[in-house]
Amino acid sequence: MVQEEIRRRNAGALLRQVHLRGPLSRAELGERMGLNRSTIMALTTELSRLGLVGEESPVDTGRAGRPSLVVRPASDRCYVLAFDVAVDRLVAARIGLGGRILDRREAVRPRAGPDLHDVVAVLARFGRQLHRAAPAGANCVGVGASYCGMIRPGDGMVRYGPDLGWVDQAFGDELGRRLGLGLPVAVGNEAHLGAQAEQQRGAGVGLDDLVYLHGDVGVGGGIIVGGRLLGGDSGYGCELGHMVVNPYDGRPCGCGSYGCLEAEVGERALLDAAGRPAELFGRDAVRSVADDADRGDPLAREALRRIGDWLGIGVANLINLFNPGLVVFGGMLCDLYPGAAAQVRGRIARHVLPVARETVRLRTAALGDDATLVGAAELGFARLLDDPLAVLTAPVPPGAGVPSSAPPVPGFRRRQEV
């Protein structure tokens, strides 16, 4: 029994390596995992039979001796459905093992108040289209979703989505029911997922401590400490947008407070500072301010200066608290940070302890607007990566496609040939 548990754990660890790092030779896997060649060979052979990895001869390395086979994730044969619900857009994608986006759909999300039914209807339609478009025999091993609100861990309930009034909405259950694939939908907060995606695949690869700030209409956040997401007692931690930075004459915030970080640097604060009319909103409006500032428009430049000053105060507080190696700006902040960087760095220079600011770096999200979508995909892959041998138990001959006539395997849905 102990040997079986070790085998399963090692299989998951190996699959996670190639999923996150891409193609690796058997020799590299052995070095990373501290396992001998025969154990690595046995694991890769089994994962190959399950349709999760493929092996191929490497290109000429110039080294003497027999080259080590390269193990790669089987992106075309194993995938998840990933969904991203932002204030203004809905995104669905089929993402293959290894993090490769294979196909996607997008739609505008109107700002129309509580809209669970409409959101789920659009996403479920997209999800079914993506599933039908997958190659015959490809395996859907999970479903993950990112939502712009506070998510109850475990059941995908949106406890609070302030921008469009979602309170205790059973998003995960409803989306799973409408998809009709028989798979549960794992749901996470968009900024939490963005932080994890940037740490695993983006600007923070190799770092164990980082802060991620995600701008949408407001500002969310995710904090990675010691390689793990800081979730809090109930899973609602890292609401960085509701850190109070201007308590005395701050702008009103949607949470009911005043002077929150998101109230001072969010979409409306920027557009008001730039003199844009109240009926103008959305990502294009935000980008137009950044573009105008680049062209030298004085009002737009002053708006970015003001936003950058408040953002810098928030970032300075976070650096003093968590001593991250990296602060990543995602979502809307990807567009705003370049024009506000001088103010952010100025606040850090004035307010951060010297020993904490010595090594911290500031970057925009390497994954761009897909950070939260990629994070949602990782939720979908989580169960497979924890124990691939338990999730997929039907062996397939090496090198063969997964036959659509094979018996059903617990834990995934096979795309049937039509």
Side-chain angles (χ1 to χ4, degrees), residues 212-360:
Y212 174 81
L213 285 163
H214 185 87
D216 199 344
V217 171
V219 175
I223 300 173
I224 306 292
V225 176
R228 298 175 65 88
L229 179 73
L230 188 64
D233 181 61
S234 302
Y236 308 127
C238 302
E239 283 295 322
L240 307 186
H242 297 288
M243 170 174 49
V244 177
V245 295
N246 186 12
Y248 298 112
D249 59 352
R251 293 170 59 92
C253 182
C255 72
S257 185
Y258 290 83
C260 293
L261 180 64
E262 77 168 43
E264 302 297 341
V265 308
E267 175 190 280
R268 196 65 253 163
L270 173 76
L271 297 176
D272 286 349
R276 306 302 160 98
E279 61 270 18
L280 195 64
F281 56 84
R283 191 67 177 272
D284 288 341
V286 168
R287 286 186 175 129
S288 74
V289 174
D291 291 342
D292 288 349
D294 283 342
R295 289 190 288 266
D297 178 86
L299 197 56
R301 294 183 71 175
E302 173 60 22
L304 283 184
R305 187 206 64 78
R306 177 181 173 83
I307 294 301
D309 202 42
W310 290 118
L311 181 59
I313 291 174
V315 170
N317 286 331
L318 292 168
I319 295 173
N320 280 330
L321 280 169
F322 296 102
N323 184 214
L326 178 70
V327 177
V328 182
F329 301 95
M332 175 188 76
L333 296 179
C334 279
D335 301 317
L336 300 185
Y337 176 70
Q343 282 69 38
V344 175
R345 292 185 181 279
R347 284 294 184 180
I348 291 172
R350 288 195 296 276
H351 303 306
V352 174
L353 296 168
V355 293
R357 68 172 183 256
E358 285 175 348
T359 58
V360 67

Side-chain angles (χ1 to χ4, degrees), residues 73-373:
S75 300
D76 55 339
R77 297 171 63 187
C78 177
Y79 71 92
V80 299
L81 295 178
F83 302 96
D84 185 22
V85 182
V87 173
D88 284 335
R89 68 171 190 157
L90 303 173
V91 185
R94 179 165 55 91
I95 300 184
L97 191 67
R100 180 179 162 201
I101 298 177
L102 303 169
D103 196 0
R104 67 191 296 155
R105 305 283 189 278
E106 293 193 26
V108 173
R109 182 190 185 190
R111 298 188 186 184
D115 57 350
L116 174 67
H117 176 80
D118 294 336
V119 166
V120 167
V122 171
L123 294 182
R125 174 165 51 86
F126 283 167
R128 291 191 296 269
Q129 290 172 358
L130 292 165
H131 184 62
R132 287 196 297 268
N139 300 328
C140 181
V141 297
V143 184
S146 162
Y147 188 84
C148 51
M150 301 175 74
I151 311 301
R152 185 166 66 195
D155 65 0
M157 174 75 73
V158 179
R159 295 302 313 279
Y160 183 50
D163 294 308
L164 292 176
W166 280 32
V167 177
D168 291 336
Q169 300 287 301
F171 172 54
D173 286 347
E174 284 298 308
L175 180 55
R177 183 179 64 82
R178 292 292 295 271
L179 276 173
L181 299 178
L183 293 170
V185 179
V187 185
N189 169 270
E190 62 174 356
H192 291 186
L193 297 179
Q196 292 174 304
E198 285 293 324
Q199 193 257 347
Q200 292 172 342
R201 298 186 178 278
V205 170
L207 297 177
D208 286 337
D209 297 271
L210 66 83
V211 170
Y212 174 81
L213 285 163
H214 185 87
D216 199 344
V217 171
V219 175
I223 300 173
I224 306 292
V225 176
R228 298 175 65 88
L229 179 73
L230 188 64
D233 181 61
S234 302
Y236 308 127
C238 302
E239 283 295 322
L240 307 186
H242 297 288
M243 170 174 49
V244 177
V245 295
N246 186 12
Y248 298 112
D249 59 352
R251 293 170 59 92
C253 182
C255 72
S257 185
Y258 290 83
C260 293
L261 180 64
E262 77 168 43
E264 302 297 341
V265 308
E267 175 190 280
R268 196 65 253 163
L270 173 76
L271 297 176
D272 286 349
R276 306 302 160 98
E279 61 270 18
L280 195 64
F281 56 84
R283 191 67 177 272
D284 288 341
V286 168
R287 286 186 175 129
S288 74
V289 174
D291 291 342
D292 288 349
D294 283 342
R295 289 190 288 266
D297 178 86
L299 197 56
R301 294 183 71 175
E302 173 60 22
L304 283 184
R305 187 206 64 78
R306 177 181 173 83
I307 294 301
D309 202 42
W310 290 118
L311 181 59
I313 291 174
V315 170
N317 286 331
L318 292 168
I319 295 173
N320 280 330
L321 280 169
F322 296 102
N323 184 214
L326 178 70
V327 177
V328 182
F329 301 95
M332 175 188 76
L333 296 179
C334 279
D335 301 317
L336 300 185
Y337 176 70
Q343 282 69 38
V344 175
R345 292 185 181 279
R347 284 294 184 180
I348 291 172
R350 288 195 296 276
H351 303 306
V352 174
L353 296 168
V355 293
R357 68 172 183 256
E358 285 175 348
T359 58
V360 67
R361 293 174 292 147
L362 309 179
R363 298 285 187 273
T364 54
L367 299 173
D369 286 345
D370 283 337
T372 50
L373 182 70

